Amino acid sequence: MKLYCATTNLGKLREFRLIVNHFGGGRIEVESLDNIKQIEPPEETGATFEENAALKAVYYSQFAPGPLFADDSGLAVDALDGAPGIYSARFAGEHAGDAANNQLLFEKLRGAENRKARFVCAISLAQAGSVTGVWRGEVEGRIIDDLRGSEGFGYDPLFYFEPFGATFGQVTAERKLLVSHRSKALELMIAQLLALQ
Ligand code: ITT
């Protein structure tokens, strides 16, 4: 089975491939929508991760010759009432990169005692402009006050995962996929697709 995926984030794309290989047992192949950079992105106007994932999947599926999935994900921090949440990619501004987003998170949490946070991922599958499913995954951790590790992407070097005794920036992608929000959402999608075969 071939699934197209739509993301402009290379960190996500690497994880998609690894996770689908891991849980799909070689029965599912992931192909990136190769001209995605030439396609005007949709406005992410949803109020939830699920709505934004569905909106992206529906939109990009019109440019794919088969089923396509998209991910909307982010970090929800308790002391910030769930922020940056669906605004995680643009926390420090529309074109802010990971470094600026991480810096802003440090500043906002300076002195905060409650460091609890979770990564959330919604994956939506669509075909020819219609949604066929949405799945969600979460992983709990806490935000530390220095950057640790250079693996992963985004907020990974700040996200300390107790059972690993390390941040997601300090573990390999193979280790992260055993517990991550993205894996949990994709695993549910894959189980459903393989059950239907
Ligand atoms: P696409 O919409 O093209 O997929 P994007 O990066 O804009 O790419 P999102 O709108 O879903 O995607 O934003 C997700 C942001 O949340 C991402 O840029 C990271 O900053 C953060 N994020 C999500 N998953 C993460 C993970 O596994 N590790 C670290 N940061 C993550």
Side-chain angles (χ1 to χ4, degrees):
M1 181 190 318
K2 186 191 273 190
L3 296 182
Y4 290 86
C5 75
T7 182
T8 56
N9 183 323
L10 291 178
K12 282 188 189 179
L13 181 60
R14 268 194 295 273
E15 292 192 4
F16 287 157
R17 290 224 165 92
L18 212 61
I19 295 166
V20 172
N21 271 340
H22 184 85
F23 292 109
R27 292 162 69 191
I28 302 178
E29 185 194 334
V30 172
E31 188 165 322
S32 172
L33 197 60
D34 55 5
N35 57 346
I36 188 162
K37 285 267 179 326
Q38 274 83 60
I39 301 172
E40 184 68 29
E43 241 192 286
E44 294 184 28
T45 52
T48 61
F49 290 106
E50 283 84 350
E51 282 175 19
N52 279 335
L55 176 155
K56 287 190 232 184
V58 163
Y59 175 78
Y60 285 113
S61 71
Q62 301 171 95
F63 301 94
L68 171 143
F69 67 89
D71 151 318
D72 196 59
S73 49
L75 182 70
V77 179
D78 284 357
L80 303 178
D81 294 324
I86 58 169
Y87 304 107
S88 292
R90 43 195 155 126
F91 189 35
E94 201 53 50
H95 300 289
D98 292 344
N101 287 334
N102 284 334
Q103 191 54 42
L104 182 59
L105 187 59
F106 274 143
E107 282 164 25
K108 296 233 184 222
L109 284 182
R110 191 168 294 141
E113 266 183 35
N114 181 359
R115 317 290 298 193
K116 277 178 69 178
R118 68 204 50 77
F119 273 128
V120 180
C121 174
I123 297 276
S124 178
L125 187 67
Q127 187 149 12
S130 299
V131 183
T132 54
V134 184
W135 300 269
R136 181 184 176 105
E138 296 188 8
V139 59
E140 298 282 333
R142 67 182 163 85
I143 306 303
I144 52 168
D145 56 16
D146 58 330
L147 293 161
R148 292 188 203 159
S150 52
E151 301 284 338
F153 66 97
Y155 299 95
D156 279 340
L158 286 179
F159 187 85
Y160 187 86
F161 184 63
E162 206 72 58
F164 287 169
T167 69
F168 275 1
Q170 292 175 298
V171 299
T172 60
E174 286 78 6
R175 192 136 188 248
K176 179 180 169 186
L177 80 75
L178 299 176
V179 299
S180 84
H181 50 313
R182 186 161 293 103
S183 294
K184 287 174 183 159
L186 274 172
E187 188 181 2
L188 293 173
M189 177 184 85
I190 290 166
Q192 194 163 322
L193 290 176
L194 293 182
L196 289 173
Q197 270 203 319

